[in-house]
Amino acid sequence: MRSRVLSAALTLAMSLVGVAAFTSSAHAAACGDQLVGNGGFETGTAPWTQTTGVITAGTTAEPAHAGTMEAKLGARGTTHTDNLAQTVTLPTGCSSATLTYWAHIDTKETTSSTKYDTLVVQAGSDTLASYSNLDKNTGYALRTVDMTRYLGQTVTVKVTGSEDSSLVTNFVLDDFSLTTGTGTPPDTARTPINPAYTVNLTSNTAGDTWTGHQSASFTNGSATPLPEVYLRLWDNYHGSCPTTPITVTNVTGGTASPLSVDCTALKITLPAPLAQNQSASIGFDLKIVVPSGADRFGHDGAYNMIGNALPVLAVRDGAGWHLDPYTNNGESFYSLISDFDVTLVHPTSLLTPATGTSTETTSGSTTTTHATAAKVRDFAWGAGPFAKISGTSNKGFKVNVYSVSGISSANATSMLNLAKDSIDVHSGRFGDYPYSELDVVLDNNFWFGGMEYPGFVMDLVSNVALPHEIAHQWFYGIVGDDEYNSPWLDESFTDYATDLYRGVTGSGCGITWQSSAEKLTNSMAYWDAHSSRYSTVVYNYGKCTLHDLRRLIGETAMANLLKSYAQSHWYGVSTTAEFKAAAQAAAGSTDLTSFWASHRVEG
């Protein structure tokens, strides 16, 4: 549960994306076909759509790559945006899909550091490539983009150029081609599987600096060999790359590459590729420095919140490695079910609520907290002079509430009772909470409302936010999803669960789309570019969609659908396509095709 105004730089970059469309051919395409119509622009503008004048004849100064016609975006030296467009249906069962085009960029800009003029290429809301005046080149360069992940889908490829108020940049494109391979379809298995992390860290007096060692064992669950793994160091977003709060050194079990994705991804090449079902392990020294600020990774005075600080293994599937950037507007934290064994050595004056089940051993002024957590997606903890109260729910789940100073004992007790009740109610709807305890950390300075981790949530004193964060134990925690590319699969479902818990029926909740590009199933790349609409659509329209589905198929069918769907994806990963299929099965003879279309649930 997150909401924040997007950074100016990312908003600017994403606002440059325009509309373009590849129109599908009259006959169904087959593997091996070339899918782009009029890729060299030699037969006029159709089937492209464009800003007037983008498709134009080449000149001596700006010649076409081949033939006489080209697409030229920018080229004015004034503030404006140019669009180019085509939509294509990629066939299923192909081994690959590759988009290629030739690009020439020249500019009058003299800077060597500032992106004044930009070009963005997208498929749907996914950014495929981006260029700027900094990418100027002599002559044409062939650009290649892997589009294998879109096989079996109809996608809109978007090409948009934007210039600022002065100094012209020409983005010249020609000879587009989108071809599919005819060999074996890609391996879609998610890997590496069965990660097991062992962590030993010692803190300083304040609990805001931790040093020690971490290791990770894993297995290749894919038929495709695994030559490398990636660690996600998401909290390095909070630093200024290359100066980062999470530092990994002395890597063993593989060869580390330089940090990438703004220092949030670390590639480790294995000594030899792992075959399917083979296992390996890596190790490294780790240092964590918690920045100032009441954040999911930050310290509010003496109270440290340490979420997403432990490096975890990235996921590879049929689309390749998922190395999406950190988003402060929502979540990027896509990971597979793992086991954690974490030892935290710290001053006895600091309490350390944490994911999993903890035992403590004290020797003088030092306490060792040993936390174990099986079948969770990540691990978080806190450190500070919290006040603590505990209780047990009617179903037998232990709940601990940790409060910063300023939270009254009455409010802490109220939140404890709310947590005990909501964990029981959610268990009844989706299946029993599978962990032995839940830690709730309360701080009314949290700007984001609340944040979820397995067995560990951060929250304000709120009768609405806390049931929402606890519902995340099921939707994202137990039933996983790709939080960056499919945020609705946890936030919409969790907000719907919160409504059910609070007795809110969702009657009369209206959905009004702001643009044709706005869809419930858009990724965080889209919502980061349209941050003011993120909560409205993903939270409000998302839960409205599920309320509308309940009214359409009936109360009993909907209740059975959600419980059976959770059970069938327990400790797994949910996708939009799988949920739509399960919902259609629950709906029986009621065809949901128009329902998905009107609610803009695609995938």
Side-chain angles (χ1 to χ4, degrees):
M1 182 184 197
R2 302 282 284 186
S3 59
R4 171 177 278 182
V5 176
L6 190 63
S7 69
L10 185 54
T11 301
L12 173 61
M14 295 305 297
S15 69
L16 302 174
V17 178
V19 178
F22 287 121
T23 302
S24 56
S25 57
H27 64 280
C31 296
D33 285 355
Q34 199 291 107
L35 304 176
V36 174
N38 189 21
F41 313 110
E42 298 299 319
T43 59
T45 59
W48 298 92
T49 60
Q50 56 153 351
T51 302
T52 301
V54 164
I55 296 177
T56 185
T59 65
T60 301
E62 299 289 352
H65 173 256
T68 62
M69 303 296 289
E70 63 191 26
K72 183 161 61 176
L73 299 88
R76 299 186 200 177
T78 59
T79 302
H80 77 289
T81 298
D82 287 325
N83 303 318
L84 182 66
Q86 224 191 91
T87 298
V88 68
T89 298
L90 286 75
T92 59
C94 308
S95 59
S96 62
T98 304
L99 175 69
T100 62
Y101 49 93
W102 291 84
H104 168 58
I105 304 171
D106 62 60
T107 183
K108 297 294 185 181
E109 300 284 2
T110 59
T111 178
S112 60
S113 60
T114 304
K115 298 178 181 181
Y116 290 117
D117 309 318
T118 61
L119 185 82
V120 177
V121 181
Q122 286 190 305
S125 61
D126 300 332
T127 297
L128 302 176
S130 60
Y131 312 99
S132 74
N133 49 281
L134 301 180
D135 298 304
K136 60 185 177 182
N137 61 307
T138 302
Y140 280 88
L142 179 64
R143 306 296 185 179
T144 302
V145 177
D146 182 10
M147 293 189 64
T148 304
R149 72 177 71 180
Y150 305 104
L151 286 168
Q153 301 180 40
T154 297
V155 296
T156 301
V157 173
K158 307 175 181 180
V159 184
T160 303
S162 182
E163 286 188 293
D164 71 348
S165 59
S166 65
L167 298 179
V168 68
T169 296
N170 297 305
F171 297 103
V172 186
L173 307 176
D174 202 359
D175 295 327
F176 278 81
S177 176
L178 176 55
T179 56
T180 54
T182 58
T184 304
D187 178 6
T188 59
R190 299 180 182 97
T191 198
I193 60 172
N194 304 325
Y197 302 95
T198 301
V199 184
N200 291 275
L201 296 173
T202 300
S203 82
N204 64 350
T205 302
D208 60 10
T209 301
W210 298 78
T211 56
H213 189 79
Q214 178 174 340
S215 63
S217 63
F218 50 89
T219 299
N220 181 17
S222 165
T224 303
L226 188 69
E228 75 276 321
V229 294
Y230 281 85
L231 290 174
R232 294 313 312 264
L233 287 68
W234 280 301
D235 277 341
N236 278 348
Y237 162 86
H238 298 275
S240 179
C241 184
T243 303
T244 58
I246 311 298
T247 307
V248 169
T249 55
N250 300 324
V251 173
T252 59
T255 302
S257 297
L259 290 169
S260 59
V261 195
D262 291 330
C263 287
T264 68
L266 177 65
K267 178 182 177 179
I268 299 176
T269 302
L270 302 176
L274 288 184
Q276 189 172 24
N277 297 324
Q278 284 188 327
S279 300
S281 62
I282 56 174
F284 47 88
D285 291 336
L286 178 65
K287 182 176 181 179
I288 299 168
V289 179
V290 183
S292 177
D295 209 333
R296 56 190 175 190
F297 178 58
H299 66 82
D300 183 13
Y303 302 95
N304 299 278
M305 315 301 166
I306 312 171
N308 304 112
L310 293 184
V312 297
L313 292 165
V315 179
R316 190 192 77 182
D317 58 19
W321 285 104
H322 286 261
L323 302 176
D324 299 301
Y326 184 98
T327 172
N328 210 30
N329 201 29
E331 285 81 42
S332 307
F333 315 133
Y334 179 28
S335 55
L336 301 184
I337 284 293
S338 310
D339 294 338
F340 285 84
D341 188 309
V342 178
T343 300
L344 304 172
V345 180
H346 55 89
T348 301
S349 59
L350 304 179
L351 299 188
T352 52
T355 293
T357 302
S358 296
T359 59
E360 293 185 342
T361 303
T362 297
S363 177
S365 61
T366 299
T367 293
T368 299
T369 299
H370 182 215
T372 57
K375 296 187 181 303
V376 296
R377 298 188 188 275
D378 47 17
F379 186 98
W381 75 100
F386 298 101
K388 176 185 176 182
I389 58 174
S390 301
T392 303
S393 76
N394 289 335
K395 280 181 169 284
F397 304 119
K398 182 179 179 181
V399 178
N400 304 305
V401 171
Y402 296 80
S403 303
V404 305
S405 60
I407 303 291
S408 70
S409 59
N411 280 338
T413 300
S414 175
M415 292 299 99
L416 174 63
N417 292 332
L418 180 63
K420 291 189 298 182
D421 187 58
S422 60
I423 199 172
D424 282 354
V425 172
H426 294 328
S427 290
R429 286 202 170 95
F430 311 121
D432 279 350
Y433 179 71
Y435 311 119
S436 61
E437 64 182 70
L438 172 71
D439 290 343
V440 177
V441 177
L442 299 176
D443 186 339
N444 281 333
N445 289 330
F446 289 144
W447 62 265
F448 49 85
M451 182 62 200
E452 68 279 358
Y453 294 98
F456 180 98
V457 299
M458 307 172 189
D459 211 352
L460 309 170
V461 174
S462 168
N463 291 332
V464 178
L466 186 56
H468 174 101
E469 303 311 328
I470 292 175
H472 271 303
Q473 298 302 308
W474 284 264
F475 294 104
Y476 131 82
I478 298 165
V479 180
D481 64 286
D482 179 347
E483 292 187 300
Y484 188 86
N485 289 299
S486 299
W488 89 286
L489 285 174
D490 57 279
E491 295 297 358
S492 301
F493 282 60
T494 300
D495 236 23
Y496 176 73
T498 305
D499 273 5
L500 295 182
Y501 174 75
R502 300 179 62 236
V504 176
T505 64
S507 60
C509 63
I511 296 176
T512 303
W513 302 107
Q514 192 173 71
S515 72
S516 60
E518 191 171 81
K519 300 176 178 66
L520 178 57
T521 46
N522 281 346
S523 74
M524 287 307 305
Y526 179 88
W527 299 121
D528 280 348
H530 303 83
S531 57
S532 65
R533 296 288 290 171
Y534 171 61
S535 294
T536 298
V537 176
V538 174
Y539 288 72
N540 295 334
Y541 291 4
K543 69 181 179 182
C544 281
T545 294
L546 296 174
H547 281 300
D548 288 347
L549 180 62
R550 172 177 51 82
R551 282 185 279 270
L552 179 61
I553 69 175
E555 297 280 348
T556 300
M558 186 67 172
N560 290 339
L561 165 63
L562 290 180
K563 190 162 191 175
S564 64
Y565 190 74
Q567 295 296 315
S568 64
H569 290 78
W570 206 258
Y571 299 140
V573 174
S574 170
T575 68
T576 297
E578 289 168 341
F579 179 72
K580 288 171 67 176
Q584 183 59 71
S589 60
T590 301
D591 187 352
L592 298 181
T593 302
S594 62
F595 177 87
W596 301 129
S598 64
H599 289 79
R600 300 194 180 182
V601 179
E602 298 183 0

